[in-house]
């Protein structure tokens, strides 16, 4: 029951769903995700924590950066089905398409510079 509740809670926020959709293209660092959402780093961090805690994301640390990606094939069935459901239901939504365009611009930027800008907002 607790796993189900963590999963549904994680999916019950537009910003967290946007993060899942942004990560369907592959791994991104927290600063890139923060830039996409245009929220405070602490807010994005909380969203990422809830997604990771629900099993929807995996994270790895590299130096000062934390990289996130969608849960791998070894994740529980409910997690894989939830990710697939989000992709199928919202992958072509106007918000997801706008985020994909913005993400293309973000990926051309130096992550170090993104991080510096976010620290000084």
């Amino acid at each position: 029951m607790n796993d189900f509740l963590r999963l549904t809670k994680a999916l019950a926020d537009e910003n967290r769903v946007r993060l899942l959709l942004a990560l369907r293209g592959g791994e991104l660092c927290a600063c890139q995700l923060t830039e996409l959402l245009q929220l405070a780093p602490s807010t994005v961090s909380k969203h990422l924590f809830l997604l990771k805690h629900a099993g929807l994301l995996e994270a790895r640390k590299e130096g000062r950066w934390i990289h996130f990606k969608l849960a791998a094939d070894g994740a529980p069935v409910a997690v894989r089905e939830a990710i697939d459901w989000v992709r199928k239901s919202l992958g072509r939504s106007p918000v997801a398409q706008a985020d994909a365009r913005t993400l293309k611009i973000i990926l051309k930027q130096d992550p170090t510079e993104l991080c510096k800008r976010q620290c000084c907002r």
Side-chain angles (χ1 to χ4, degrees):
M1 176 82 72
N2 286 337
D3 291 342
F4 175 81
L5 294 173
R6 269 193 298 275
L7 188 57
T8 56
K9 179 180 179 179
L11 296 174
D13 180 90
E14 179 180 354
N15 289 313
R16 290 193 287 272
V17 171
R18 287 176 64 198
L19 288 168
L20 288 177
L21 290 169
L23 289 164
R24 66 189 159 164
E27 185 178 79
L28 296 169
C29 75
C31 63
Q32 292 166 321
L33 295 167
T34 300
E35 188 71 15
L36 175 66
L37 293 184
Q38 290 293 297
L39 296 172
S42 60
T43 302
V44 176
S45 178
K46 179 67 175 174
H47 286 310
L48 291 166
F49 169 81
L50 290 170
L51 290 167
K52 187 175 180 291
H53 188 62
L56 294 161
L57 298 183
E58 296 177 5
R60 69 175 179 88
K61 189 167 171 108
E62 182 179 319
R64 62 187 293 187
W65 288 280
I66 301 176
H67 298 268
F68 292 90
K69 66 179 183 177
L70 293 175
D73 292 338
V77 172
V79 168
R80 292 187 316 236
E81 288 178 349
I83 291 170
D84 192 45
W85 179 54
V86 169
R87 282 182 184 154
K88 288 178 180 175
S89 299
L90 298 169
R92 296 177 192 241
S93 70
V95 171
Q97 290 176 347
D99 282 350
R101 288 189 297 272
T102 303
L103 199 51
K104 284 182 183 178
I105 295 166
I106 291 169
L107 290 173
K108 293 178 183 176
Q109 298 177 42
D110 178 12
T112 304
E113 292 302 314
L114 284 176
C115 185
K116 284 181 188 175
R117 277 201 314 260
Q118 291 166 7
C119 291
C120 303
R121 281 186 185 172

